[in-house]
Structure formats: structure tokens, C-alpha cells
Amino acid sequence: MRWVAAALLLLLAALQAEAGTTSAFTLSPQSYSGSRERQYKVYVPDGLTAPAPMVMALHGCQQTHDDVLRDWGLVAAADRFRFILVAPFITSYDGLRNTNCWGFWLDQHRHQGRGEPEDLHQIARQVESRFGIDPKRRYVTGLSSGGAMAVVLSVTHNEYFAAAASASGLPYGEDAASVSFSGCPGSATFHAVSQVVADMQRERNASYPIPLMVLQNNQDCTVIQPAGRNMRDAQLLLNGDALHNSPPEAQARERACTPVNGSDYNCQQVFYTVDAQPGSRSLVETVFYNGPTVTPDPGDTDHGHYWIGGQNGRDGRWALQRGPSYPDIVWDFFSRHAADTSGPPPPPPPPPSCNTVSAAPGAHVSAGRATAGGLFSLRAISTGDMRDIGFAWDFFFTRVDLHQGAGGRWFVQPPAGC
């Protein structure tokens, strides 16, 4: 009986720790080049009222979205700060790369309208079609290749996301040589900051100066400094005016990082604002510290390359619990930077095509208009409004009308504009 009571207490503690609902979804391959099927999970805190902020969190190499949800402390942060957490999984990929790396260095995956950045944008739009999201508070963060892809999204879709935070990521447009594959202290080459700025200018199609947070362990042997400093400097050159486009000119204040779980590793947070005044809107903020290289997880590379989850995080694959609490620090940054809509509005989304196809649920799945989901993937789910349209293996007995909307997605009801 004592063992049963202990097990019940552990179960209750687990239920209290995740006071919300995690749902799994799939984005079907879209019609633009480089698109693939993408799995993703969405965590919604209980009792959340719409519209709510959305935080997309991108895993690093050799990780999955489950590592993000389990180890990063973001689920507890979503409960505390009342945001919807979206964790995409790369699922599959092209080209030669380490396991589950986002392809930030590949040209086909760093432009709007194609490849992985557009798939991630479409995932965010799917989430918006299912849940109530505040359009001024859409955010993206990530670790390692996920941090680099968060930077890509901050350039390719800066009209969509309000702010971005990159943990151990890389500047926009970098190539594979920017990652160190040697031991510690590591060795890598980087593009000149002027080239990074020119690449960002060519890609960006909206003038919104998206705020960026850069989190970097100075002892990281995989993504070494000066990656973090280059991101900072490029962000200031691109978005600062003539009087505030370098670190000395734009720095407004500096403080010790807070909150911290255990040692702070001499962490300092520096604020670079539009007018070098404390409290003004940030162009970029840096969180630099001297963290350990060795971590508790035996599967880690011990290169000082990880996400720090804080009190509610876990020691896992490329995840550390003790140190400056990334979930709290990143959310504090996000909470101060809703989208600035004082400039010209972003371009409107393309109109829906309004095609209608009548077919059996299984035929809709085969054609990519629906995906297999639900219990044991036995149900057919429309790709647009995520509605159950029947048995996924029914090819003969029933017919369902699906209507095509913007972005190649399919809906049970005709979308707006049709």
C-alpha cells in the first residue's frame, strides 16, 4: 500500500507540473520548393484565455521537440506566463547534415516562401487557425541550429514574428564553417559583419526592426564566440540609426542576469536600445556568461553547448538545469517587445484559391489535403482547420468536400474570401 500511495503522489505531482494539454499535429508538404511533412506539438496551459502570446521553440541538432518539452523548462514557463508553446520537429531533411539539424546554412532553407523557414511559418499559421493567438505577440526561440533558424525566421518573416531569441545560434547567412567540429576551445570561421548585414538587407522585405536576444556561453566549443558578438553587431548596424548602430553608441545598461538557478557563471545581460536610454525599445540584448563545458548527461559532447532550463528544467541532451534561467530571461525579453505596428502594415497574405475537391477521407490523405492523426493515426484530419473528416483508410464508402485556402491548406468549411 505504501508503494501504491507513493506512486499516486508521484502521479499527482506530474499532473500538477503540467497543468495543461499537449497536442500533436502534422503539417503536410506544401506546394513551394523544399517543403516537407513536419510534425509539431502544441502545449496550451489550462484556463488560458484568448488571444494569447505564442512562443515557437526550435530544437537543436540531435534533439527532437520532445527534448524541448521535457528539458527546457518552457512548459512550466508557459503555465506561469500564460503563453502557447509550439515545438516543431524537423521530422525529415535533405542534404548532408548531423541528425535533426535545421538547415540554416543551406540556401534553399533561408529564404521566405520556401524550405524550412516557410514550413515553420505555415506551422505558426496553422496554430493560429486552431488557437487564439495575439498577432502582436508571436515569438520564436531555439538552440544551436534551432537558434540559427530562429535568426533566419527573424529575417525572412520579420513582418510576422514580434521578437526572436537565439541560444548558441549563428548570424544570418553563415555557412557550415561557422560551426566548430573540433574539441575545446574550438575553431570556426565567420563572415564579416558587413556581409551579414548585406545578406539580411537583401532578404528582408519589411522594415520592422525585430528585436533580437542573443544567449551565448563564452566557453562554448561548438558555437564559439564571436558568433554572439557578430549577431549583436549586425543587428545594430542593420536597425540602428547613425548615432546608435554600434555597441558603444547603443548600449543603455548592463546588469547581472536574473533569475539564476545555482551559479550565474558571471552572466551579464546588456541592453542596446534605439536611443541608448534604459527602458527604451531594444534593438538587441545579449546574455553572455562563462558556463561549464561538462554536463551531467552522458550522451552530451561536453562542449559547453546547451540550453539552460532553470529550476523547472532538466539535465538532458544538450540541456542544463543550473545557471541563468533561459525561460525566465527570454520571456522577460519577449514580454517587453510586442510587435511595433507604427510603421507601414505588412503585405497581406495571398488570397485563397477556393478550389473544392470531393473525395473519400483516405484519398484526401493520399493527396496531402488531410493527414493521418488521432488515436493510432486512424483518423483523417484536414490540413487547414485540423477537422476530423473520417477514417483514414476509407477510400470507397464516404465522400467529404474539402476547400482549398491560402498557403495550399484545405478546410472543411470554405475559408474567408471564398
PDB file of all heavy atoms in Angstrom, residues 65-82:
ATOM      1  N   HIS A  65      11.512  17.676 -30.713  1.00  0.00           N
ATOM      2  CA  HIS A  65      10.585  18.539 -29.985  1.00  0.00           C
ATOM      3  C   HIS A  65      10.268  17.999 -28.603  1.00  0.00           C
ATOM      4  O   HIS A  65       9.957  18.768 -27.687  1.00  0.00           O
ATOM      5  CB  HIS A  65       9.305  18.750 -30.784  1.00  0.00           C
ATOM      6  CG  HIS A  65       8.642  17.502 -31.302  1.00  0.00           C
ATOM      7  ND1 HIS A  65       9.228  16.253 -31.285  1.00  0.00           N
ATOM      8  CD2 HIS A  65       7.404  17.319 -31.838  1.00  0.00           C
ATOM      9  CE1 HIS A  65       8.402  15.368 -31.794  1.00  0.00           C
ATOM     10  NE2 HIS A  65       7.281  15.990 -32.131  1.00  0.00           N
ATOM     11  N   ASP A  66      10.382  16.674 -28.408  1.00  0.00           N
ATOM     12  CA  ASP A  66      10.133  16.115 -27.078  1.00  0.00           C
ATOM     13  C   ASP A  66      11.208  16.539 -26.083  1.00  0.00           C
ATOM     14  O   ASP A  66      10.923  16.727 -24.894  1.00  0.00           O
ATOM     15  CB  ASP A  66      10.058  14.586 -27.155  1.00  0.00           C
ATOM     16  CG  ASP A  66       8.790  14.106 -27.861  1.00  0.00           C
ATOM     17  OD1 ASP A  66       7.739  14.749 -27.677  1.00  0.00           O
ATOM     18  OD2 ASP A  66       8.861  13.114 -28.603  1.00  0.00           O
ATOM     19  N   ASP A  67      12.466  16.678 -26.536  1.00  0.00           N
ATOM     20  CA  ASP A  67      13.509  17.197 -25.657  1.00  0.00           C
ATOM     21  C   ASP A  67      13.179  18.615 -25.206  1.00  0.00           C
ATOM     22  O   ASP A  67      13.395  18.983 -24.052  1.00  0.00           O
ATOM     23  CB  ASP A  67      14.870  17.189 -26.369  1.00  0.00           C
ATOM     24  CG  ASP A  67      15.364  15.793 -26.672  1.00  0.00           C
ATOM     25  OD1 ASP A  67      15.489  14.994 -25.735  1.00  0.00           O
ATOM     26  OD2 ASP A  67      15.627  15.501 -27.853  1.00  0.00           O
ATOM     27  N   VAL A  68      12.661  19.413 -26.126  1.00  0.00           N
ATOM     28  CA  VAL A  68      12.284  20.791 -25.802  1.00  0.00           C
ATOM     29  C   VAL A  68      11.215  20.800 -24.715  1.00  0.00           C
ATOM     30  O   VAL A  68      11.318  21.510 -23.709  1.00  0.00           O
ATOM     31  CB  VAL A  68      11.777  21.522 -27.060  1.00  0.00           C
ATOM     32  CG1 VAL A  68      11.173  22.878 -26.702  1.00  0.00           C
ATOM     33  CG2 VAL A  68      12.916  21.703 -28.060  1.00  0.00           C
ATOM     34  N   LEU A  69      10.177  19.989 -24.892  1.00  0.00           N
ATOM     35  CA  LEU A  69       9.067  19.982 -23.950  1.00  0.00           C
ATOM     36  C   LEU A  69       9.467  19.386 -22.603  1.00  0.00           C
ATOM     37  O   LEU A  69       8.954  19.802 -21.550  1.00  0.00           O
ATOM     38  CB  LEU A  69       7.895  19.198 -24.539  1.00  0.00           C
ATOM     39  CG  LEU A  69       7.253  19.805 -25.801  1.00  0.00           C
ATOM     40  CD1 LEU A  69       6.229  18.844 -26.392  1.00  0.00           C
ATOM     41  CD2 LEU A  69       6.600  21.147 -25.496  1.00  0.00           C
ATOM     42  N   ARG A  70      10.383  18.436 -22.610  1.00  0.00           N
ATOM     43  CA  ARG A  70      10.748  17.751 -21.370  1.00  0.00           C
ATOM     44  C   ARG A  70      11.809  18.499 -20.571  1.00  0.00           C
ATOM     45  O   ARG A  70      11.736  18.587 -19.332  1.00  0.00           O
ATOM     46  CB  ARG A  70      11.255  16.344 -21.701  1.00  0.00           C
ATOM     47  CG  ARG A  70      11.606  15.514 -20.463  1.00  0.00           C
ATOM     48  CD  ARG A  70      12.205  14.163 -20.843  1.00  0.00           C
ATOM     49  NE  ARG A  70      13.448  14.333 -21.576  1.00  0.00           N
ATOM     50  CZ  ARG A  70      13.632  13.948 -22.843  1.00  0.00           C
ATOM     51  NH1 ARG A  70      12.651  13.392 -23.510  1.00  0.00           N
ATOM     52  NH2 ARG A  70      14.797  14.128 -23.435  1.00  0.00           N
ATOM     53  N   ASP A  71      12.832  19.052 -21.252  1.00  0.00           N
ATOM     54  CA  ASP A  71      14.033  19.505 -20.557  1.00  0.00           C
ATOM     55  C   ASP A  71      14.198  21.017 -20.427  1.00  0.00           C
ATOM     56  O   ASP A  71      14.968  21.472 -19.589  1.00  0.00           O
ATOM     57  CB  ASP A  71      15.282  18.962 -21.282  1.00  0.00           C
ATOM     58  CG  ASP A  71      15.358  17.446 -21.275  1.00  0.00           C
ATOM     59  OD1 ASP A  71      14.729  16.820 -20.403  1.00  0.00           O
ATOM     60  OD2 ASP A  71      16.050  16.887 -22.157  1.00  0.00           O
ATOM     61  N   TRP A  72      13.540  21.805 -21.264  1.00  0.00           N
ATOM     62  CA  TRP A  72      13.898  23.213 -21.369  1.00  0.00           C
ATOM     63  C   TRP A  72      13.218  24.128 -20.372  1.00  0.00           C
ATOM     64  O   TRP A  72      13.509  25.325 -20.328  1.00  0.00           O
ATOM     65  CB  TRP A  72      13.609  23.715 -22.791  1.00  0.00           C
ATOM     66  CG  TRP A  72      14.577  23.218 -23.820  1.00  0.00           C
ATOM     67  CD1 TRP A  72      15.410  22.149 -23.720  1.00  0.00           C
ATOM     68  CD2 TRP A  72      14.795  23.770 -25.120  1.00  0.00           C
ATOM     69  NE1 TRP A  72      16.137  21.989 -24.867  1.00  0.00           N
ATOM     70  CE2 TRP A  72      15.777  22.978 -25.756  1.00  0.00           C
ATOM     71  CE3 TRP A  72      14.252  24.836 -25.823  1.00  0.00           C
ATOM     72  CZ2 TRP A  72      16.242  23.240 -27.048  1.00  0.00           C
ATOM     73  CZ3 TRP A  72      14.691  25.098 -27.104  1.00  0.00           C
ATOM     74  CH2 TRP A  72      15.683  24.315 -27.706  1.00  0.00           C
ATOM     75  N   GLY A  73      12.298  23.619 -19.568  1.00  0.00           N
ATOM     76  CA  GLY A  73      11.602  24.455 -18.601  1.00  0.00           C
ATOM     77  C   GLY A  73      10.558  25.377 -19.215  1.00  0.00           C
ATOM     78  O   GLY A  73       9.992  26.220 -18.512  1.00  0.00           O
ATOM     79  N   LEU A  74      10.283  25.214 -20.498  1.00  0.00           N
ATOM     80  CA  LEU A  74       9.345  26.114 -21.178  1.00  0.00           C
ATOM     81  C   LEU A  74       7.888  25.757 -20.907  1.00  0.00           C
ATOM     82  O   LEU A  74       7.014  26.631 -20.981  1.00  0.00           O
ATOM     83  CB  LEU A  74       9.617  26.118 -22.683  1.00  0.00           C
ATOM     84  CG  LEU A  74      10.850  26.901 -23.126  1.00  0.00           C
ATOM     85  CD1 LEU A  74      11.115  26.680 -24.611  1.00  0.00           C
ATOM     86  CD2 LEU A  74      10.694  28.388 -22.832  1.00  0.00           C
ATOM     87  N   VAL A  75       7.601  24.496 -20.604  1.00  0.00           N
ATOM     88  CA  VAL A  75       6.227  24.124 -20.275  1.00  0.00           C
ATOM     89  C   VAL A  75       5.799  24.822 -18.989  1.00  0.00           C
ATOM     90  O   VAL A  75       4.716  25.415 -18.908  1.00  0.00           O
ATOM     91  CB  VAL A  75       6.093  22.592 -20.162  1.00  0.00           C
ATOM     92  CG1 VAL A  75       4.747  22.204 -19.564  1.00  0.00           C
ATOM     93  CG2 VAL A  75       6.258  21.938 -21.535  1.00  0.00           C
ATOM     94  N   ALA A  76       6.666  24.777 -17.970  1.00  0.00           N
ATOM     95  CA  ALA A  76       6.355  25.473 -16.719  1.00  0.00           C
ATOM     96  C   ALA A  76       6.280  26.976 -16.947  1.00  0.00           C
ATOM     97  O   ALA A  76       5.444  27.666 -16.345  1.00  0.00           O
ATOM     98  CB  ALA A  76       7.406  25.145 -15.661  1.00  0.00           C
ATOM     99  N   ALA A  77       7.140  27.507 -17.821  1.00  0.00           N
ATOM    100  CA  ALA A  77       7.098  28.936 -18.137  1.00  0.00           C
ATOM    101  C   ALA A  77       5.787  29.301 -18.827  1.00  0.00           C
ATOM    102  O   ALA A  77       5.211  30.365 -18.559  1.00  0.00           O
ATOM    103  CB  ALA A  77       8.289  29.318 -19.012  1.00  0.00           C
ATOM    104  N   ALA A  78       5.309  28.421 -19.712  1.00  0.00           N
ATOM    105  CA  ALA A  78       4.025  28.677 -20.374  1.00  0.00           C
ATOM    106  C   ALA A  78       2.895  28.745 -19.354  1.00  0.00           C
ATOM    107  O   ALA A  78       1.987  29.581 -19.462  1.00  0.00           O
ATOM    108  CB  ALA A  78       3.747  27.599 -21.418  1.00  0.00           C
ATOM    109  N   ASP A  79       2.945  27.865 -18.337  1.00  0.00           N
ATOM    110  CA  ASP A  79       1.939  27.911 -17.281  1.00  0.00           C
ATOM    111  C   ASP A  79       2.029  29.209 -16.484  1.00  0.00           C
ATOM    112  O   ASP A  79       1.004  29.827 -16.171  1.00  0.00           O
ATOM    113  CB  ASP A  79       2.112  26.723 -16.333  1.00  0.00           C
ATOM    114  CG  ASP A  79       1.646  25.405 -16.936  1.00  0.00           C
ATOM    115  OD1 ASP A  79       0.749  25.431 -17.797  1.00  0.00           O
ATOM    116  OD2 ASP A  79       2.181  24.355 -16.541  1.00  0.00           O
ATOM    117  N   ARG A  80       3.234  29.624 -16.143  1.00  0.00           N
ATOM    118  CA  ARG A  80       3.412  30.824 -15.314  1.00  0.00           C
ATOM    119  C   ARG A  80       3.075  32.093 -16.073  1.00  0.00           C
ATOM    120  O   ARG A  80       2.430  32.997 -15.540  1.00  0.00           O
ATOM    121  CB  ARG A  80       4.859  30.922 -14.811  1.00  0.00           C
ATOM    122  CG  ARG A  80       5.249  29.903 -13.796  1.00  0.00           C
ATOM    123  CD  ARG A  80       6.472  30.327 -12.997  1.00  0.00           C
ATOM    124  NE  ARG A  80       7.568  30.814 -13.790  1.00  0.00           N
ATOM    125  CZ  ARG A  80       8.478  30.043 -14.394  1.00  0.00           C
ATOM    126  NH1 ARG A  80       8.376  28.731 -14.313  1.00  0.00           N
ATOM    127  NH2 ARG A  80       9.463  30.582 -15.086  1.00  0.00           N
ATOM    128  N   PHE A  81       3.540  32.175 -17.311  1.00  0.00           N
ATOM    129  CA  PHE A  81       3.430  33.434 -18.057  1.00  0.00           C
ATOM    130  C   PHE A  81       2.271  33.448 -19.049  1.00  0.00           C
ATOM    131  O   PHE A  81       2.053  34.452 -19.720  1.00  0.00           O
ATOM    132  CB  PHE A  81       4.751  33.714 -18.770  1.00  0.00           C
ATOM    133  CG  PHE A  81       5.929  33.791 -17.826  1.00  0.00           C
ATOM    134  CD1 PHE A  81       7.048  32.993 -18.017  1.00  0.00           C
ATOM    135  CD2 PHE A  81       5.908  34.639 -16.744  1.00  0.00           C
ATOM    136  CE1 PHE A  81       8.132  33.055 -17.160  1.00  0.00           C
ATOM    137  CE2 PHE A  81       6.991  34.718 -15.880  1.00  0.00           C
ATOM    138  CZ  PHE A  81       8.098  33.919 -16.076  1.00  0.00           C
ATOM    139  N   ARG A  82       1.570  32.303 -19.174  1.00  0.00           N
ATOM    140  CA  ARG A  82       0.316  32.237 -19.932  1.00  0.00           C
ATOM    141  C   ARG A  82       0.525  32.440 -21.422  1.00  0.00           C
ATOM    142  O   ARG A  82      -0.082  33.299 -22.053  1.00  0.00           O
ATOM    143  CB  ARG A  82      -0.710  33.243 -19.391  1.00  0.00           C
ATOM    144  CG  ARG A  82      -0.846  33.292 -17.878  1.00  0.00           C
ATOM    145  CD  ARG A  82      -1.180  31.946 -17.286  1.00  0.00           C
ATOM    146  NE  ARG A  82      -2.534  31.502 -17.634  1.00  0.00           N
ATOM    147  CZ  ARG A  82      -2.937  30.234 -17.539  1.00  0.00           C
ATOM    148  NH1 ARG A  82      -2.082  29.281 -17.174  1.00  0.00           N
ATOM    149  NH2 ARG A  82      -4.163  29.913 -17.853  1.00  0.00           N
TER     150      ARG A  82
END
